[in-house]
Amino acid sequence: MKPGPERAALLAQREALAERLSQGLRDEAPLAALQELQTRLQLIDARLGTLDDGRAHALRRHGIALLIVAALVSLAAWVRVPRVPFSLELEAGAAQLALPQAGALAGQAIAGELHAEGFTALESADAALMRRSRADGASPLALRAERLQLGRVSFAAGTELSVEAGSPAVRLGLEGAPHAVELTLGGQVSSSLGGAPAESGSFAVAEWLKLSAGTTATALWLQRGGDTSYQWHGLQPASLRLVERQASADGQVRLASSLHRGALHLPATERDLQLAAGNGLVLEGLKLDQCEVAVGDAVVLKLSGSARHIGVQTGDFEQALEPSWLEYAAHNHRLGLLWSAGGLLWGISTWLRKLLGDKS
């Protein structure tokens, strides 16, 4: 360790005075001269002690600064960004969407047959349907018609929507908030209400029917024709889960991932992930620019926007995919980060040289 200029000069003076004091003792020099040399040595030692204290204080001060920088870097590497942009395309057997805002699913043509369960009220302009609903109840409802249209499915804020692929029918489930289903039917019609025997009729002009329910769970089975699927756009779910009930070998029913395959893109870090069948996927705190749902032989979802949390589950392990602030900065501000790191290293080397007395 190279001493500073003042310390080097004092050390040289001390060495010379110590030699003179030693020589004076050998030569039996006058006591006054020896005392003067000893006093000068004590003064030099006191000054050297002051310099050593100053160097120790400087070391502590700069050490604290380095610890603060290290703590900030560690914090940036640990704390994740509050929202992460993403785009996602996937196929699954079933999906559950939490809908925090009121809305509606647009109308769809139904391939001839519908089954409904869980609804508590039925409304229609047809007096016979109303009389039967009062006598037998609003559901279960089995309906077959030459012309059958799902007019709209309206729901209040806080509804949980589940969609499940299938053939010959797909399933639509709603719960958690009041909701209603509007239907139009025409031609030859066969209907059963409350489990009573089916009755036939005919509507030359399209008739309307409305099923409604409160917060309890309801289900609709919508028949499909051929390779067709039911499609909806513009939903604004707050979260997405992909689970379905599966029967195990021992006959027990358990919840398992419904994912068949998927592709997830994270533009903040230019990361692409291919999701395999059986992987669990959790998206929470969604704000979407695009949401397309198609339900047929599989549930096909196309989403883009941002999320507060994205997690991929493999077994009991979940990997959070939100980047840390350090990862985000490293990817999006790489040049600035390199310059900052270079400046920091240059500053550290400069104060170390000064601290150690290096004038080069």
Side-chain angles (χ1 to χ4, degrees):
M1 182 181 291
K2 188 175 180 180
E6 182 182 0
R7 180 179 173 81
L10 289 173
L11 287 173
Q13 291 178 30
R14 191 186 190 288
E15 185 177 355
L17 285 172
E19 180 61 29
R20 286 172 59 188
L21 179 59
S22 178
Q23 185 63 43
L25 289 171
R26 288 194 298 271
D27 296 341
E28 296 184 355
L31 182 59
L34 294 175
Q35 287 177 336
E36 181 183 355
L37 291 172
Q38 185 181 20
T39 301
R40 288 185 178 183
L41 281 171
Q42 290 172 344
L43 290 171
I44 289 174
D45 286 342
R47 178 56 183 161
L48 286 172
T50 301
L51 291 176
D52 288 341
D53 290 343
R55 294 176 78 237
H57 178 69
L59 276 171
R60 286 194 299 271
R61 184 174 66 250
H62 292 293
I64 291 171
L66 282 176
L67 285 174
I68 292 173
V69 171
L72 289 175
V73 172
S74 299
L75 190 64
W78 178 68
V79 176
R80 299 183 181 276
V81 297
R83 301 199 64 80
V84 54
F86 76 96
S87 60
L88 172 66
E89 293 188 16
L90 63 83
E91 289 185 10
Q96 298 77 39
L97 299 89
L99 302 169
Q101 301 175 357
L105 303 179
Q108 306 275 310
I110 301 173
E113 191 170 345
L114 170 144
H115 185 79
E117 289 186 357
F119 291 92
T120 55
L122 181 149
E123 298 176 50
S124 176
D126 183 71
L129 281 175
M130 291 297 295
R131 183 176 64 254
R132 291 168 58 198
S133 70
R134 287 192 294 268
D136 302 324
S139 65
L141 166 68
L143 186 61
R144 180 178 297 175
E146 284 187 75
R147 300 185 302 275
L148 186 57
Q149 178 84 17
L150 180 68
R152 97 191 222 120
V153 180
S154 56
F155 50 84
T159 296
E160 298 284 334
L161 170 68
S162 62
V163 290
E164 185 176 333
S167 182
V170 303
R171 178 182 177 277
L172 210 64
L174 298 102
E175 63 179 305
H179 52 277
V181 176
E182 298 174 15
L183 303 166
T184 56
L185 54 153
Q188 292 297 318
V189 175
S190 172
S191 60
S192 170
L193 283 168
E199 296 186 18
S200 299
S202 178
F203 295 97
V205 179
E207 187 59 86
W208 65 271
L209 184 152
K210 181 178 180 180
L211 298 169
S212 57
T215 59
T216 55
T218 63
L220 291 170
W221 283 266
L222 310 176
Q223 189 173 29
R224 295 170 50 217
D227 296 330
T228 60
S229 61
Y230 294 94
Q231 300 183 18
W232 293 283
H233 305 270
L235 291 173
Q236 288 294 319
S239 65
L240 169 69
R241 296 177 67 232
L242 302 172
V243 294
E244 61 186 354
R245 291 178 174 85
Q246 292 182 352
S248 57
D250 59 2
Q252 298 294 320
V253 176
R254 63 185 182 89
L255 292 178
S257 171
S258 64
L259 182 67
H260 296 168
R261 60 187 176 90
L264 176 64
H265 176 61
L266 303 174
T269 53
E270 288 301 327
R271 187 177 180 184
D272 292 292
L273 290 94
Q274 296 301 315
L275 306 174
N279 284 156
L281 179 64
V282 178
L283 292 96
E284 297 175 347
L286 294 175
K287 291 183 178 179
L288 298 180
D289 304 315
Q290 176 192 24
C291 178
E292 298 180 9
V293 182
V295 190
D297 289 327
V299 176
V300 179
L301 285 167
K302 295 182 180 180
L303 309 177
S304 65
S306 66
R308 187 180 65 251
H309 170 63
I310 302 177
V312 174
Q313 299 168 332
T314 304
D316 295 330
F317 173 75
E318 178 175 325
Q319 178 189 7
L321 299 181
E322 310 91 77
S324 68
W325 279 111
L326 189 61
E327 290 174 314
Y328 179 81
H331 179 77
N332 294 278
H333 306 284
R334 188 171 299 164
L335 183 60
L337 191 66
L338 288 174
W339 276 107
S340 299
L344 180 62
L345 291 174
W346 179 84
I348 291 173
S349 65
T350 299
W351 77 256
L352 281 174
R353 286 199 306 271
K354 289 181 179 179
L355 191 64
L356 301 178
D358 185 358
K359 294 184 289 183
S360 57

